[in-house]
Amino acid sequence: MRHFDSDVLTIADELTEAYVTVFTAPPWGDRDAGATRTAFRKRIETDARRPGFRAVVALADNGGVDGFVMGWTTPAPFRADRAYSKVTERLGPDRVEELLVGRFEIDELGVRPHARGIGLGRLLLSALVGTVPGGRAWLLTWNQAHETLAFYRRNGWREPEPLPGRETDIVVFLSPAC
């Protein structure tokens, strides 16, 4: 495994291909591979320059990427694009500020199918969270990604209770240190 900051852009092509492989397969399978490739490649160029950006990547012997995890420090004010508005809806602005702002946000974690079942996802996640002050991190995922939900629960990540009547199609997880 290799740790990266903005130098992750040196492997952007390999990382993009791994991302497309992971996130166009079930349960994410409704995504168009070409559109996913273009969107992620554009996004990684921006994300790698965010304050606090870090990534851990498992590189294969052939130079490809077997797995990856990346994220950054959650800025204030809390974002409202992508799925962030659903996080605020689910937890409320005060709890978002208390639990998430200033903490490390795991944005993406993926392991290619051929590298699953050997603990690589757990190792990647632990390696990245181990670089975060106090191990205090959070993430969100889709509520229909049942294997993903089970993975985080097995690894000690916990879900803060949503506000009454504020269920959304995303689930927020806090690291075991939170």
Side-chain angles (χ1 to χ4, degrees):
M1 280 190 268
R2 185 166 163 209
H3 291 256
F4 291 89
D5 50 29
S6 63
D7 63 339
V8 75
L9 296 176
T10 62
I11 61 162
D13 291 339
E14 296 84 357
L15 188 58
T16 299
E17 289 312 307
Y19 181 89
V20 170
T21 299
V22 171
F23 290 105
T24 59
W28 323 101
D30 293 342
R31 296 179 176 179
D32 174 74
T36 299
R37 179 176 291 104
T38 301
F40 179 78
R41 183 55 192 257
K42 181 178 177 183
R43 198 167 52 117
I44 191 64
E45 295 283 339
T46 301
D47 291 348
R49 292 178 175 84
R50 291 183 187 279
F53 178 87
R54 296 180 183 104
V56 178
V57 179
L59 297 168
D61 291 338
N62 67 4
V65 171
D66 283 342
F68 56 90
V69 60
M70 63 186 76
W72 50 79
T73 304
T74 305
F78 194 70
R79 294 167 58 181
D81 62 331
R82 294 176 53 196
Y84 293 104
S85 62
K86 292 180 181 183
V87 172
T88 301
E89 178 182 344
R90 184 178 182 90
L91 299 179
D94 292 340
R95 288 178 65 215
V96 163
E97 182 71 26
E98 173 193 344
L99 297 172
L100 311 182
V101 172
R103 304 282 166 74
F104 193 81
E105 174 183 347
I106 304 293
D107 180 57
E108 301 290 355
L109 170 64
V111 176
R112 283 189 160 175
H114 71 268
R116 292 182 185 156
I118 59 170
L120 183 57
R122 180 183 47 77
L123 291 172
L124 287 163
L125 187 60
S126 294
L128 185 58
V129 172
T131 70
V132 175
R136 298 172 67 94
W138 72 279
L139 58 86
L140 65 91
T141 193
W142 184 40
N143 68 355
Q144 296 302 303
H146 302 293
E147 289 180 25
T148 301
L149 297 170
F151 168 80
Y152 290 118
R153 290 172 182 142
R154 272 192 320 271
N155 284 283
W157 289 63
R158 65 179 178 81
E159 304 156 60
E161 286 295 318
L163 293 173
R166 297 299 188 158
E167 291 289 331
T168 63
D169 65 347
I170 59 98
V171 177
V172 175
F173 282 95
L174 303 175
S175 68
C178 286

